[in-house]
Amino acid sequence: MRKLAIALSAVILLASCGSKKKIAALEAKNKEVQDLLNTATVKLNTCLAEKDLMNNQISYLKSNNESLKNSLENVTILSSKGASSLEKTLESIKEKDLKITRLQDAVTRKDSMTIALVSSLKSAVGIDDPDIEVNVEKGVVFISIADKLLFKSGSYEISDRARTILGKVAKVVNSKPDFECMVEGHTDSVPYNGGNGVLIDNWDLSAKRATAVIRVLQKEHKVNPKQLIAAGRAEFVPLTDNSTAENRSKNRRTRVIVLPKIDQFYDMIEKEMKGQK
């Protein structure tokens, strides 16, 4: 009986030792699993934090992308407007350059006409006489004829020689129907004292001489009266001072001014500026 009890105790003791080993093994295994769980939890939390960060970054990038797209659209619109404005400016500059060129062409044509007119006058009048002068001032042709060739002292009756000269001038004027012919009478500073009751002063004398020339051009040489202008300047536009007889002789003169009709000249310029639009 005693032997049986000892044997039973030995079995129980062995069984008890085996259980302790299993428990220890299980506890070790449990600790290992717990460590793995803790490690996994840490990694999971880290991943979740990184996910949140990435989501925030994605949201920021999306927002920034939209902003960039809007900015790009605005830049495109501004660039388009700028290009259009620049194109209009260049077009305007081009138009102005073209108008300037055409205006210069018109002025050149007018100057060419003036030069041709001077050549015609010099050729027609046969000017070798120092008392007859043809020149151009500011694009206008002037024929200056000394008084001694046209009139006697204090008179407004035209001499025979003057009629011949005026006939040559009329020939050129008649060939230029688009030109005007203004006749200016000029005196010296000596007061007029004709005493005939018709003329009062140098204004009257200069104007009467101008109209006398006009009548010869119109009646004897068939110049169109619409082209003719008479003007008396008296002594107030002298070539030189009136201190000597020689100087006073220079100031007594009749000027025939031949010039394009101003309205027609501007019409010519306007046509040039319009061009072939």
Side-chain angles (χ1 to χ4, degrees):
M1 191 67 183
R2 185 176 181 180
K3 289 183 180 179
L4 180 59
I6 292 168
L8 183 60
S9 297
V11 170
I12 292 170
L13 181 61
L14 288 171
S16 176
C17 290
S19 296
K20 285 182 180 180
K21 285 182 182 179
K22 286 181 180 180
I23 289 169
L26 290 171
E27 286 179 349
K29 190 68 177 177
N30 181 59
K31 185 177 183 306
E32 184 181 345
V33 170
Q34 189 64 43
D35 288 342
L36 289 173
L37 178 61
N38 291 337
T39 301
T41 301
V42 170
K43 287 183 178 180
L44 176 60
N45 290 335
T46 302
C47 287
L48 290 172
E50 288 178 353
K51 179 185 176 184
D52 289 341
L53 181 61
M54 288 180 70
N55 285 334
N56 291 336
Q57 288 178 342
I58 288 169
S59 296
Y60 170 76
L61 289 173
K62 284 182 177 179
S63 174
N64 193 47
N65 186 51
E66 287 297 320
S67 177
L68 287 173
K69 280 172 66 179
N70 292 334
S71 297
L72 183 59
E73 286 175 3
N74 291 335
V75 168
T76 302
I77 291 169
L78 289 173
S79 298
S80 178
K81 288 182 179 177
S84 176
S85 176
L86 179 60
E87 188 177 349
K88 287 179 181 177
T89 302
L90 290 174
E91 200 62 38
S92 175
I93 291 172
K94 202 180 294 182
E95 264 183 33
K96 287 178 182 177
D97 285 343
L98 188 59
K99 287 181 179 179
I100 290 170
T101 300
R102 286 173 175 161
L103 179 59
Q104 288 172 337
D105 289 343
V107 172
T108 300
R109 280 182 58 197
K110 185 252 185 184
D111 289 343
S112 299
M113 290 163 61
T114 301
I115 292 168
L117 181 59
V118 172
S119 299
S120 298
L121 284 167
K122 287 187 175 181
S123 174
V125 180
I127 302 172
D128 291 323
D129 195 320
D131 293 319
I132 304 173
E133 183 182 350
V134 178
N135 56 43
V136 178
E137 296 174 19
K138 297 179 182 179
V140 178
V141 178
F142 294 90
I143 308 167
S144 185
I145 306 172
D147 250 22
K148 62 185 178 182
L149 296 180
L150 293 173
F151 309 101
K152 293 179 182 179
S153 178
S155 171
Y156 52 86
E157 291 184 11
I158 294 177
S159 67
D160 291 337
R161 184 183 177 192
R163 292 176 190 278
T164 303
I165 294 170
L166 292 176
K168 293 178 179 180
V169 172
K171 183 178 178 182
V172 175
V173 175
N174 282 332
S175 71
K176 306 290 181 184
D178 292 334
F179 283 69
E180 291 181 329
C181 178
M182 182 164 71
V183 179
E184 286 184 348
H186 295 262
T187 68
D188 59 27
S189 62
V190 177
Y192 177 76
N193 189 20
N196 59 10
V198 177
L199 304 177
I200 298 174
D201 53 19
N202 283 334
W203 280 112
D204 280 349
L205 179 59
S206 63
K208 201 70 175 172
R209 286 178 169 178
T211 54
V213 171
I214 290 286
R215 286 191 188 92
V216 170
L217 292 174
Q218 178 188 351
K219 293 182 178 181
E220 298 183 18
H221 301 291
K222 310 304 179 186
V223 175
N224 185 348
K226 292 181 180 180
Q227 292 178 254
L228 300 173
I229 306 167
R233 306 300 299 271
E235 70 267 25
F236 300 106
V237 191
L239 293 175
T240 184
D241 64 78
N242 286 284
S243 57
T244 65
E246 182 181 356
N247 285 355
R248 287 193 292 274
S249 176
K250 289 179 181 178
N251 290 332
R252 293 191 302 271
R253 69 202 188 278
T254 298
R255 284 205 313 180
V256 179
I257 305 170
V258 184
L259 65 163
K261 291 180 181 177
I262 297 300
D263 56 344
Q264 292 185 0
F265 174 58
Y266 282 119
D267 284 345
M268 180 176 70
I269 289 177
E270 188 177 356
K271 287 177 184 176
E272 286 291 340
M273 291 181 72
K274 285 180 179 176
Q276 300 177 349
K277 291 185 178 179

